[in-house]
Amino acid sequence: EVQLVESGGGLVKPGESLTLSCAASGFTFSSYSMNWVRQAPGKGLEWVSSISGSRDHIYYADSVRGRFTISRDNAKKSLFLQMNSLRVEDSSVYYCARNYDVFFNGMDVWGQGTTVTVSS
Amino acid sequence: QSALTQPASVSGSPGQSITISCTGTSSDVGGYKYVSWYQQRPGKAPKLMIFEVSYRPSGVSNRFSGSKSGNTASLTISGLQTEDEADYYCSSYTSSSIVLFGGGTRLTVL
């Protein structure tokens, strides 16, 4: 079964750091570009970052560029999001998602999400 | 960049057809074929319904169809069913090499 499972969410204070992980199974992880997408409580979806299968192409939303770092370990079939200098407005459910075929052409597999709460 | 523009809500009766619009600019929706649509039920992860403007992934009902004209993409659901009640989001690749989502549309099946 094709599956993505996120972990690492939690409650942190503004300015602190957190690293999210996403474990993939059921498909050839290295062959797919991957994404992080977030959703604040009661709000819409917001794309955060994408990384190619070979890690040579990485993209960020303006709202997180310079604070968040996306990475992956293909041997461990894992995707990561290092989040530094967290802000209250970063509070969201964070989903990892697989790109359908080529970069940016739809996200066909999603995890269940992990919740990040930033509050003093 | 601002989110793509979607109506906040649409409604329809079982068996009817509805269309949800997604308006952007020539730098996103109008300029690229990478427009997708997602369905999200409460408390669940989004589900890909349409990719590359009009293609359905395997397993998605053919009652769902997508199209694009100029800077506006559209999702049409025909033969509405109660199970279609959900939030729907469009997304597009942009000239800034980022992905934009629409604000989302709540579909109510009356």
Side-chain angles (χ1 to χ4, degrees), chain B:
Chain B
Q1 281 178 285
S2 301
L4 306 175
T5 300
Q6 297 181 232
S9 63
V10 298
S11 63
S13 300
Q16 288 186 332
S17 294
I18 63 93
T19 296
I20 300 171
S21 61
C22 170
T23 301
T25 69
S26 58
S27 296
D28 39 69
V29 173
Y32 300 94
K33 65 180 180 179
Y34 295 136
V35 175
S36 305
W37 289 90
Y38 300 87
Q39 176 192 70
Q40 187 180 34
R41 295 194 172 102
K44 300 296 186 181
K47 175 185 178 182
L48 180 66
M49 306 302 285
I50 297 287
F51 67 96
E52 206 169 313
V53 176
S54 60
Y55 292 88
R56 284 185 307 276
S58 174
V60 172
S61 170
N62 59 9
R63 297 187 297 105
F64 292 82
S65 62
S67 62
K68 188 179 80 167
S69 178
N71 297 336
T72 299
S74 298
L75 173 71
T76 297
I77 308 174
S78 58
L80 267 180
Q81 299 179 0
T82 54
E83 68 200 49
D84 298 332
E85 191 161 287
D87 293 329
Y88 291 85
Y89 294 90
C90 63
S91 75
S92 175
Y93 175 69
T94 80
S95 59
S96 302
S97 296
I98 66 170
V99 175
L100 275 182
F101 281 97
T105 298
R106 174 71 52 88
L107 169 62
T108 302
V109 181
L110 303 170

Side-chain angles (χ1 to χ4, degrees), chain A residues 46-111:
Chain A
E46 180 187 14
W47 172 80
V48 173
S49 183
S50 299
I51 184 170
S52 62
S54 56
R55 296 172 293 191
D56 53 353
H57 295 284
I58 290 176
Y59 305 93
Y60 296 101
D62 289 346
S63 58
V64 306
R65 186 176 292 112
R67 300 187 299 122
F68 290 12
T69 302
I70 191 172
S71 62
R72 64 191 295 161
D73 184 333
N74 288 337
K76 295 184 177 179
K77 298 185 178 182
S78 294
L79 177 72
F80 305 100
L81 185 68
Q82 169 72 41
M83 304 185 294
N84 297 329
S85 303
L86 281 162
R87 304 167 180 168
V88 170
E89 55 265 34
D90 294 319
S91 297
S92 292
V93 174
Y94 284 75
Y95 295 101
C96 68
R98 184 183 82 170
N99 277 321
Y100 179 69
D101 50 11
V102 301
F103 235 132
F104 301 122
N105 195 19
M107 303 174 203
D108 67 331
V109 180
W110 294 66

Side-chain angles (χ1 to χ4, degrees), chain A residues 13-14 25 33 101 103 112:
Chain A
K13 292 181 170 55
S25 60
S33 54
D101 50 11
F103 235 132
Q112 84 289 350

